């Protein structure tokens, strides 16, 4: 039976956890009682948060005696909440987060951004879009270098990721992933992948603007979310046959364009047995087109 390179394949939990580990979050400074936390929001501003035991957290700062009571992340039993902090909007102020484990592996995260003007904490709303793999925030990781937030969750045997960015005060979906179904035998007849890794899972990554318009796609490893700005790199491969027809769009029946054996290309997208490629022509620059994968009918 022909194997598939697909995000639906079973993966080991250990491999999946590589993408879900929140390695960039600032380590929470727990008090002796782990139901509370004290941390420095900024120079001269300290915060104290404590769990109230009813699914909420009380938080305040030394700027004011007033305290806020906010909803906290909880597990299936309504508890299991952990408190932490990190700079989630890259403004130089530490923000409050609450997290809880759901389904043994998924880490639900609620974030409250510190607002220096008011001295209070405001909930960070998770975007909603049909292209989002993980609804809400999960194992949320801020990356100051790219000013992105990575959210990762597990569904069945597979880990998925969504990458977010800011437009003003609002967070929007910047990059998302979806299944890439590639028949490996058919693919091998037309393209040879460079440096194949048995643990590699190819997915289609998409880049979106703040208005929800898709800007580009690229086929890349599920465990290596592309965080840097466009253009995204596509999985590298080389042409196998002496001549490979290159069509303008999937489903076309005629073309005058073609690639030659040994040409290096990048995999960008797939659809119904078609594969979009990018060939970097030495004289004319990037050339995009679609190739039809062989069928066995």
């Amino acid at each position: 039976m022909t194997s598939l390179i697909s995000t639906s394949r079973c993966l080991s939990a250990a491999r999946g956890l590589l993408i879900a580990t929140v390695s960039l979050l600032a380590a929470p400074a727990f008090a002796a009682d782990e139901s509370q936390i004290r941390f420095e929001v900024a120079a001269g501003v300290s915060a104290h948060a404590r769990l109230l035991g009813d699914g909420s957290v009380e938080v305040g700062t030394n700027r004011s005696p007033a305290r806020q009571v906010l909803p906290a992340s909880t597990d299936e039993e309504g508890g299991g909440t952990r408190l932490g902090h990190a700079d989630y909007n890259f403004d130089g102020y530490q923000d409050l987060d609450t997290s809880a484990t759901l389904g043994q592996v998924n880490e639900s995260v609620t974030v409250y951004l510190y607002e220096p003007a008011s001295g209070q904490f405001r909930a960070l709303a998770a975007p909603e879009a049909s292209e989002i793999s993980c609804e809400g925030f999960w194992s949320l990781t801020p990356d100051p270098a790219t000013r992105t937030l990575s959210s990762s969750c597990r569904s069945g045997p597979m880990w998925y990721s969504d990458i977010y960015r800011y437009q003003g005060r609002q967070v929007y979906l910047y990059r998302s992933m979806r299944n890439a179904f590639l028949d490996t035998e058919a693919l091998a007849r037309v393209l040879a992948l460079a440096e194949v890794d048995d643990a590699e899972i190819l997915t289609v990554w998409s880049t979106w603007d703040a208005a929800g318009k898709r800007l580009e796609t690229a086929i890349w490893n599920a465990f290596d979310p592309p965080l840097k700005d466009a253009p995204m790199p596509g999985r590298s491969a080389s042409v196998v046959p002496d001549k490979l027809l290159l069509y303008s769009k999937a489903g076309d029946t005629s073309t005058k364009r073609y690639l030659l054996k040994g040409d290096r290309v990048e995999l960008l997208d797939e659809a119904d047995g078609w594969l979009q490629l990018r060939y970097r022509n030495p004289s004319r620059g990037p050339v995009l087109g679609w190739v039809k994968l062989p069928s066995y009918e």
Side-chain angles (χ1 to χ4, degrees), residues 272-287:
D272 299 326
W274 289 78
L275 190 61
Q276 187 183 35
L277 307 177
R278 175 167 55 213
Y279 169 64
R280 299 187 183 275
N281 188 291
S283 59
R284 290 180 292 175
V287 176

Side-chain angles (χ1 to χ4, degrees), residues 129-160:
S130 59
E131 298 81 10
I132 292 176
S133 299
C134 307
E135 183 178 351
F137 290 139
W138 300 88
S139 297
L140 197 64
T141 306
D143 183 2
T146 58
R147 300 179 69 85
T148 59
L149 300 175
S150 298
S151 176
S152 301
C153 67
R154 180 173 176 174
S155 178
M158 182 59 196
W159 286 92
Y160 295 89

